[in-house]
Amino acid sequence: MKHILVVDNQISNCDLLSKFLTKKDYKVTTTTRGQTALEMLQKRRYDLILAEYRLPDISGTLFFDQVDKWDPNAKMILMGKGVNLKNAIAMIQKGVKNFIEKPLNPDELLEAIQEAEKITLPQMEDRTSASNTQQAANLPSDMVTGKSKKARAIIEQVERVGPTNFSVIVQGETGTGKESLARLIHQKSLRKDAPFVAVDCGCLSREIAGSELFGHEKGAFTGAAFQKTGFFEQANGGTIFLDEIANLPMDIQIALLRALQEKVIRKVGGSKEIPIDVRIIAATNENLLQKSGTSNFREDLYFRLCEYTLEIPPLRERPEDLPLFIDFFLEQTGKELGRPKAKFCKEASDLLTEYYWPGNIRELRNVIRRSTLFSDSESLIGKDSLPPRITTYKDTLFSADEPSESEESIPTVKKGDLRSTALKAESRRIMEVLEKVRYNKTKAAEVLNIHRKTLYVKIKSLNIPC
């Protein structure tokens, strides 16, 4: 029997939905609070989540994000009255299976549930097995089975810092798997049986950041109809992961620094100090050391967080691990779609190997998921199934080797003349930028305000080692 979790802010709605769905041979569990639902989801897996978009203690968007981070395969249908169409579409694009307008139409509801059921997913009856599967599904394979020297070095550092209570900063480009690494650190710690709460700081504006992180009291501000438990309280005893921490507003950074130093928090609108025991893992795709001390990030907060720093190398720097990732995501996608495991033809496989992967592991995963949809009857993925940016990447590099008609060819540097002096200065500037962005040529081109092709031309013509 399929088990549905109903989350609605009205007890009467919960009762009605429970009776209706029970008659349709579903097992139903209900709750009126989002935080309670999240706690229930940590203990077991439900076949479907039917949730109100406007919950009293957490927004529908944040509720979905929390569930998705814990179990990306979770099926969720949102419902609500008078919800903005743009918001509904945005939620469906994020992964919600359907969005139903209230008052509910029984036939429409049943049809939406049946449509969601058609998506084949691995069956997991309890949260323990779900947690194990989550590690296999969410942790990028370089964190678990990577055989490159850089991958092994990262795992060795995780083994060393994991059992400690050190605060950790995880630095790496977008898509390298910073949250997955944070989860691995948590699993290696003595807190592994306590909560792991992931927070996307980029989504926290100044108006809601304090409430989301530390909670608020009833009546603290307009619309605060209920007391709210913040992320720090939810993570008490465990680990809180602050993704893209550099995006936090400055006043929230001050409150965060106090929470870390004093190990207490205070709800918005409250006077009581609440003791907390939380390990902090922060992530960023920027160099926090360079950013600290500026008007954007507090230096004292940086030095409080950086008890240990882990640098995740980009995917292009560990090509020997690429086949492992490809194989893992092909298998994962096949299970998700209920298909045999696909494979790439040699031409397509060569293109994947030659590609630059600026979006790293996340980009690779998305490319494989998309390409698998176009596999043929023999589960073979051809070149035409790959996105144009990958199939044309090699040609782009070749064209970058030769200056276009609009680009002046850069001559060999000769000693003594004014032009050679300018070229030397240009070479030094390019080297400085490349070092700052850790040789990410896409970022370097942005900083230098030139096209990436032009940067490649200059690197080759000036014999810049990189």
Side-chain angles (χ1 to χ4, degrees):
M1 182 183 292
K2 301 289 186 181
H3 196 167
I4 297 177
L5 174 63
V6 175
V7 191
D8 195 289
N9 50 14
Q10 298 292 329
I11 295 177
S12 57
N13 289 342
C14 289
D15 291 340
L16 286 171
L17 286 169
S18 179
K19 291 176 182 178
F20 172 72
L21 294 173
T22 300
K23 289 180 181 178
K24 300 297 180 181
D25 295 325
Y26 291 102
K27 184 178 179 181
V28 182
T29 299
T30 66
T31 179
T32 58
R33 296 183 66 82
Q35 298 297 344
T36 304
L38 291 173
E39 293 172 5
M40 294 163 69
L41 287 162
Q42 290 179 16
K43 296 176 182 177
R44 64 152 299 141
R45 188 178 188 277
Y46 295 84
D47 297 291
L48 180 69
I49 304 165
L50 182 61
E52 165 65 43
Y53 181 68
R54 296 188 180 96
L55 293 167
D57 54 342
I58 186 172
S59 71
T61 303
L62 287 173
F63 178 73
F64 173 79
D65 289 343
Q66 286 294 102
V67 174
D68 187 57
K69 286 177 180 178
W70 181 261
D71 181 5
N73 288 330
K75 302 175 187 177
M76 186 183 301
I77 295 175
L78 289 177
M79 51 188 178
K81 183 177 181 180
V83 177
N84 184 286
L85 180 60
K86 182 179 178 181
N87 293 339
I89 293 173
M91 291 305 300
I92 291 174
Q93 289 176 338
K94 290 183 74 171
V96 171
K97 303 308 174 190
N98 211 325
F99 205 114
I100 306 175
E101 180 75 15
K102 283 187 172 182
L104 299 176
N105 179 300
D107 293 334
E108 181 184 357
L109 173 62
L110 197 59
E111 181 181 352
I113 292 173
Q114 291 170 349
E115 283 295 320
E117 286 177 336
K118 291 178 182 178
I119 302 172
T120 305
L121 295 172
Q123 298 300 311
M124 297 173 287
E125 288 303 321
D126 56 69
R127 178 48 71 183
T128 302
S129 60
S131 179
N132 293 334
T133 304
Q134 174 71 1
Q135 289 180 45
N138 266 2
L139 292 177
S141 43
D142 66 311
M143 300 300 173
V144 181
T145 59
K147 60 184 180 182
S148 68
K149 183 177 179 180
K150 290 185 177 182
R152 292 198 304 270
I154 285 287
I155 296 301
E156 289 172 4
Q157 292 185 72
V158 169
E159 295 286 352
R160 184 180 298 114
V161 75
T164 73
N165 272 323
F166 285 10
S167 296
V168 180
I169 294 178
V170 181
Q171 291 187 173
E173 294 179 10
T174 299
T176 49
K178 296 186 286 293
E179 181 176 340
S180 298
L181 182 63
R183 289 184 183 275
L184 185 57
I185 294 171
H186 176 70
Q187 288 298 319
K188 297 291 183 181
S189 74
L190 301 177
R191 300 169 179 265
K192 63 182 179 181
D193 296 324
F196 176 93
V197 176
V199 182
D200 184 355
C201 297
C203 295
L204 301 179
S205 65
R206 176 178 295 179
E207 291 74 23
I208 67 168
S211 171
E212 294 296 335
L213 290 174
F214 309 119
H216 64 247
E217 297 290 353
K218 180 180 178 180
F221 50 84
T222 303
F226 300 89
Q227 185 188 68
K228 177 182 175 62
T229 300
F231 290 131
F232 270 83
E233 276 191 275
Q234 293 176 36
N236 202 15
T239 303
I240 188 166
F241 172 65
L242 301 176
D243 193 15
E244 302 305 342
I245 191 170
N247 292 324
L248 280 179
M250 188 61 71
D251 54 341
I252 302 301
Q253 291 182 33
I254 297 172
L256 176 60
L257 178 63
R258 182 177 181 275
L260 298 180
Q261 290 177 338
E262 305 297 332
K263 298 188 183 300
V264 295
I265 61 169
R266 182 179 296 169
K267 292 179 183 289
V268 175
S271 57
K272 179 183 176 182
E273 291 188 336
I274 304 171
I276 54 164
D277 173 26
V278 176
R279 183 185 193 177
I280 306 290
I281 301 178
T284 178
N285 59 10
E286 303 180 59
N287 189 319
L288 276 188
L289 178 58
Q290 292 181 355
K291 192 168 185 176
S292 64
T294 68
S295 58
N296 295 320
F297 199 80
R298 292 182 61 91
E299 187 176 38
D300 47 3
L301 178 57
Y302 169 77
F303 287 115
R304 178 63 185 81
L305 290 169
C306 72
E307 292 181 311
Y308 198 96
T309 301
L310 276 170
E311 185 83 29
I312 305 182
L315 183 55
R316 62 185 170 277
E317 292 183 7
R318 44 185 196 268
E320 56 267 57
D321 289 331
L322 185 62
L324 299 174
F325 308 150
I326 292 174
D327 185 72
F328 175 77
F329 289 130
L330 283 172
E331 184 172 356
Q332 184 189 52
T333 305
K335 290 180 179 179
E336 181 180 345
L337 298 175
R339 297 181 178 184
K341 179 181 173 182
K343 60 182 179 181
F344 288 97
C345 71
K346 185 180 185 308
E347 189 177 12
S349 182
D350 290 343
L351 287 169
L352 292 177
T353 302
E354 294 162 354
Y355 184 57
Y356 186 63
W357 297 112
N360 294 291
I361 295 169
R362 182 184 296 129
E363 182 183 12
L364 174 64
R365 177 177 180 269
N366 291 340
V367 166
I368 290 177
R369 284 166 61 84
R370 175 191 180 278
S371 300
T372 303
L373 290 174
F374 296 97
S375 59
D376 61 22
S377 57
E378 297 180 356
S379 299
L380 189 66
I381 303 174
K383 170 187 174 181
D384 294 339
S385 300
L386 297 174
R389 67 180 183 277
I390 295 178
T391 57
T392 61
Y393 177 70
K394 193 173 181 180
D395 296 334
T396 302
L397 284 181
F398 285 147
S399 66
D401 288 340
E402 299 296 332
S404 65
E405 293 182 1
S406 61
E407 292 175 337
E408 182 181 357
S409 179
I410 302 175
T412 303
V413 174
K414 296 180 181 179
K415 187 175 180 180
D417 62 10
L418 183 62
R419 186 166 181 76
S420 68
T421 302
L423 290 172
K424 286 180 181 179
E426 184 179 36
S427 178
R428 284 196 298 270
R429 174 57 181 161
I430 292 174
M431 279 295 298
E432 288 173 0
V433 173
L434 285 169
E435 289 174 0
K436 284 182 180 181
V437 298
R438 299 187 293 279
Y439 293 91
N440 183 328
K441 295 182 182 65
T442 302
K443 285 187 177 179
E446 292 176 359
V447 173
L448 293 166
N449 196 27
I450 60 177
H451 195 279
R452 184 164 54 88
K453 291 183 181 181
T454 304
L455 177 61
Y456 279 118
V457 172
K458 291 180 181 292
I459 288 172
K460 184 177 180 180
S461 300
L462 295 171
N463 295 318
I464 297 174
C466 63

